[in-house]
Every structure is written in C-alpha cells, then in structure tokens.
Amino acid sequence: MQFSRSLLLALKGCAMGMADVVPGVSGGTIAFISGIYEELIESIRQVDLTALRLLCRGRFRELWQHINGAFLLPVLLGIGIAIFSLARLMTWLLANHPIEIWSFFFGLIIASALLVARQIERWTIPTVASMLVGIGVAWWITVASPAQTPETWWFILLAGAIAICAMILPGISGAFILLLLGKYQYIMTAIGELNLPVILIFAVGAVAGIVSFSHLLSWLLKHWHDCTIAVLMGFMIGSLNKVWPWKEAVETFVDSHGKTMPLIEHNITPNRFEALTGQDAHLLPAIVLCLLGFASIYAIETTARILADKHKK
C-alpha cells in the first residue's frame, strides 16, 4: 500500500513538473486538482529551524517524520524527473502543435476551477470578492508588460523568491513571472552557461521564498479557508486569458537560444487567426482536446477518490 501511494504521488509530481515547463501553466494547478495541494504546502512549511536542528544532530528518522518525507520525497522526485525528461517533449509539442496543446490546458483549467469550487463550504460576499480579486490579479499578470530591472544580487534573490511562490500558486506560472520581472532570459542564460554565482543566489531566493510563503499560505488555509480557496480559484480563472489557443503576437523577444518568441499577445478568434496567419485554426481538434482536458480532470478526481476510499478500508 505504501509503495502504491508513493508511486501515485510520484506520478502527480510528474504532472506538476510537466506543467511547470509550460509557460502560463502552474504546477500548483496540478497539485490542486490532484488533491495534494494542502498537504504539499503543509509539508514544505515543516522545512524550518526544527528540521535544520534535527539534520545537524543527525536525527534523520525524526527529520523524515517532521517534514513528512514519505509524501514530500516522491512528489519532488516526480517533479524533477518530469522537468528533466519531459521538458523537450513539451517544448516540441508547443512548437509544433500549439493550438491543440493550449486547448487541452484550457479545458483542464476550466474543469479544475469547477472542482476547486466544491471545496468552498459557503459562498458569501467576502468569498465572492476574494474570487474576483484572484481573477483580476491573474488577468493583470497575463497582460502586463515586462519590466526593465537590475541584475544586482538582491534583485536576483528577490526574483527567485517571487518566481518559486508563483509556481505553487494555481494558475500563475513562475516562468511567466520571471518574464514579467525582466529576468527570464537572464536566468535561462545563467543556467545554460552554468553561471554558478547567479544560479546559487537565485536558488537561495527560491528556497527562502517557498519556505516563508508556505507558512503564510498554510495559515491562510487554516484561518480563512473559503476566501483563500476562492482567491486560488480566481487565479485559475484569470489564467485562462493566457492559455487561449488563438493569439496574435504584438511584441517578441529573443530567448537564451537566440530564438524569437512572442512576448505580448492578444487573443483573437479562430477566423481572425486564419485570416492573419493563413494557417488552419484546427478548430475541431481544439474542441476535442479541450473536452478531453476537461474530462481528464474528472477522471483524475474520480480515480483519486476511489483510491482514497480503498485506503480507508
């Protein structure tokens, strides 16, 4: 039973890793829809001074229990495996079948938001307001123009902290946040050239950001559960603007590989897309894949519920 649970957690981690390599899609969304979001946040929160003391004293069994290692390790392994093994596949799919892939994610996020709504016990005015705030923030992030920012150590540290926090928020992509901060190409270049000082500063910021932010998020989920869930649901709805399949590039940028990529895009209709590009809008495959993405979320949720019921028995 423990092995099957670890395998399932690793598969969910793989799904999160796949999402994290897609611009505009968050691993936090996958964690949310697969039912591990709150446990993930709580486990990350346990990486604290107590964990550091246990590590320094060599009390590894207690450390393992303190950080919920049986949960955290398979998830992190899955994320790592997916990022390193599936990044090329996702990049290829986005380059060669962008409309179909974005359509799949569009359906996936719609279904995810509907499932998340079930976790809200009471819809009140503050809850609805929280959802609208989440929608507004996520929508603004998807349309905001990238900023010109410094390359000093403190800003790299800050960028790491902000980007990693975005990665665990449903509907907000950490890679896209780096793009908005004007540091996507800089960080990708540093990783490609193994610029260790920059990588280490960014990593320190990421670790500090995710540990501190997980404490805040855990507190919010315990004390303001419905409003917090509503905000996260709003993030997912607002992010739909980013994953709309048919777009017109208004501005472009050159990535770390010298390839021209869209920077600012406007959503357009399939007919307008065909008129502008002269390419097929692939409307029928897009609809099919959107429905498939929608259905896959409910299939995952049903499977998770069945496994949970068996585990209880």
Side-chain angles (χ1 to χ4, degrees), residues 257-275:
H257 301 290
K259 186 177 179 181
T260 301
M261 302 290 290
L263 179 60
I264 299 177
E265 297 174 305
H266 289 163
N267 293 336
I268 55 177
T269 64
N271 289 338
R272 175 69 174 164
F273 177 85
E274 290 184 346

Side-chain angles (χ1 to χ4, degrees), residues 233-254:
M233 177 186 173
F235 285 159
M236 298 168 76
I237 296 172
S239 72
L240 290 173
N241 182 58
K242 177 63 180 176
V243 298
W244 177 255
W246 298 279
K247 295 182 180 293
E248 175 188 7
V250 178
E251 292 184 29
T252 60
F253 75 102
V254 179

Side-chain angles (χ1 to χ4, degrees), residues 31-81:
F32 217 123
I33 64 179
S34 60
I36 64 172
Y37 188 77
E38 293 192 34
E39 187 173 1
L40 177 63
I41 297 301
E42 190 64 26
S43 299
I44 294 173
R45 191 181 70 84
Q46 293 302 108
V47 182
D48 52 14
L49 291 176
T50 300
L52 182 60
R53 283 195 294 268
L54 291 172
L55 177 64
C56 293
R57 293 172 184 172
R59 295 159 63 177
F60 301 116
R61 184 183 296 274
E62 293 178 47
L63 173 64
W64 181 260
Q65 294 176 345
H66 179 73
I67 65 172
N68 194 11
F71 167 85
L72 203 55
L73 182 61
V75 173
L76 294 179
L77 280 176
I79 292 172
I81 290 170

Side-chain angles (χ1 to χ4, degrees), residues 99-108 110 244-246 270 281-295:
I99 293 174
E100 292 87 345
I101 293 300
W102 287 121
S103 297
F104 179 81
F105 281 117
F106 196 87
L108 183 150
I110 291 175
W244 177 255
W246 298 279
H282 300 288
L283 184 58
L284 182 59
I287 293 172
V288 171
L289 281 164
C290 181
L291 293 174
L292 182 61
F294 189 95

Side-chain angles (χ1 to χ4, degrees), residues 207-227:
V207 171
I210 196 170
V211 171
S212 58
F213 186 67
S214 64
H215 280 76
L216 173 62
L217 208 49
S218 176
W219 184 88
L220 288 171
L221 285 168
K222 286 180 179 178
H223 296 86
W224 298 88
H225 182 272
D226 283 1
C227 287

Side-chain angles (χ1 to χ4, degrees), residues 87-252:
R88 287 187 178 182
L89 172 62
M90 294 304 297
T91 301
W92 183 86
L93 288 172
L94 284 168
N96 294 277
H97 302 281
I99 293 174
E100 292 87 345
I101 293 300
W102 287 121
S103 297
F104 179 81
F105 281 117
F106 196 87
L108 183 150
I109 292 173
I110 291 175
S112 303
L114 292 175
L115 281 181
V116 168
R118 293 182 181 179
Q119 300 186 33
I120 298 175
E121 297 176 1
R122 290 184 58 205
W123 283 97
T124 61
I125 292 177
T127 306
V128 173
S130 299
M131 182 188 69
L132 294 176
V133 168
I135 292 173
V137 170
W139 190 278
W140 175 81
I141 288 173
T142 64
V143 300
S145 299
Q148 294 294 322
T149 51
E151 297 178 356
T152 53
W153 68 269
W154 64 267
F155 195 84
I156 301 303
L157 197 75
L158 180 64
I162 295 174
I164 198 68
C165 290
M167 285 180 183
I168 61 172
L169 284 174
I172 298 182
S173 164
F176 191 67
I177 292 297
L178 279 180
L179 200 58
L180 291 179
L181 293 173
K183 285 292 164 282
Y184 179 79
Q185 183 175 353
Y186 182 77
I187 296 300
M188 292 300 105
T189 301
I191 293 173
E193 297 176 353
L194 289 178
N195 187 336
L196 292 181
V198 173
I199 294 172
L200 287 174
I201 291 172
F202 184 82
V204 168
V207 171
I210 196 170
V211 171
S212 58
F213 186 67
S214 64
H215 280 76
L216 173 62
L217 208 49
S218 176
W219 184 88
L220 288 171
L221 285 168
K222 286 180 179 178
H223 296 86
W224 298 88
H225 182 272
D226 283 1
C227 287
T228 304
I229 296 295
V231 170
L232 297 178
M233 177 186 173
F235 285 159
M236 298 168 76
I237 296 172
S239 72
L240 290 173
N241 182 58
K242 177 63 180 176
V243 298
W244 177 255
W246 298 279
K247 295 182 180 293
E248 175 188 7
V250 178
E251 292 184 29
T252 60

